[in-house]
Amino acid sequence: MKTECIGDHVKLKGKIYPCTVSLTMDLVGGKWKAVILYHLKEESKRYSELRKELAAVTEMTLSLQLKQLEKDGLVSRKVFGKKPPVKVVYSLTDLGKTFIPVLEAITEWGNRVVVEKGEFVNVPEKETI
């Protein structure tokens, strides 16, 4: 059985993927999942803290992406208290923490691209991607 993306299929939680790259992109791909994981890599955060740090994402999208990351086992959600207002804290699971070196590599690569081909700028919050 091959372990890389050159032929055999892989299966996770009943879903079949053509390769491990496809599986990985399903778990962390898209515009926001890796960014959310990046913001949780140092410490656990409340939803409101993530919302402030990811000002360009809509509340609905952030909520949906957090639910998907939780369902896939990359993020845990802990609720403190029984009556509103409750405190909800998100953190990386052990599986999510294994993705930190990939996040750091992505960050380093992005920084290098900006240094070589772009520039770091200050932009008002409403104009960020």
Side-chain angles (χ1 to χ4, degrees):
M1 175 84 54
K2 296 176 181 155
T3 58
E4 62 256 1
C5 200
I6 53 176
D8 293 328
H9 290 72
V10 296
K11 185 176 181 180
L12 180 68
K13 296 182 181 180
K15 192 169 181 181
I16 296 176
Y17 299 90
C19 64
T20 55
V21 172
S22 179
L23 177 146
T24 302
M25 294 311 296
D26 187 41
L27 294 176
V28 299
K31 187 172 181 178
W32 296 109
K33 286 182 181 177
V35 177
I36 292 166
L37 294 171
Y38 174 84
H39 282 272
L40 292 172
K41 77 179 182 128
E42 299 292 330
E43 62 183 354
S44 300
K45 297 199 174 156
R46 294 182 69 169
Y47 178 87
S48 59
E49 293 173 300
L50 287 169
R51 185 77 182 97
K52 282 180 189 174
E53 292 177 6
L54 303 166
V57 66
T58 66
E59 286 188 38
M60 182 174 157
T61 299
L62 179 58
S63 180
L64 289 171
Q65 295 297 286
L66 284 165
K67 285 177 185 174
Q68 188 64 51
L69 289 165
E70 182 184 8
K71 179 181 168 244
D72 290 336
L74 296 165
V75 168
S76 69
R77 179 182 186 264
K78 290 188 183 166
V79 179
F80 299 92
K82 297 191 192 264
K83 300 190 251 180
V86 297
K87 178 180 177 181
V88 179
V89 176
Y90 294 92
S91 58
L92 295 181
T93 62
D94 288 340
L95 177 61
K97 289 175 184 173
T98 65
F99 194 67
I100 290 174
V102 179
L103 290 169
E104 290 172 347
I106 290 168
T107 303
E108 184 179 319
W109 185 82
N111 287 340
R112 189 172 67 218
V113 169
V114 171
V115 167
E116 292 176 9
K117 300 186 179 290
E119 63 182 305
F120 290 97
V121 295
N122 290 320
V123 178
E125 284 184 29
K126 292 180 181 179
E127 295 181 36
T128 60
I129 295 177

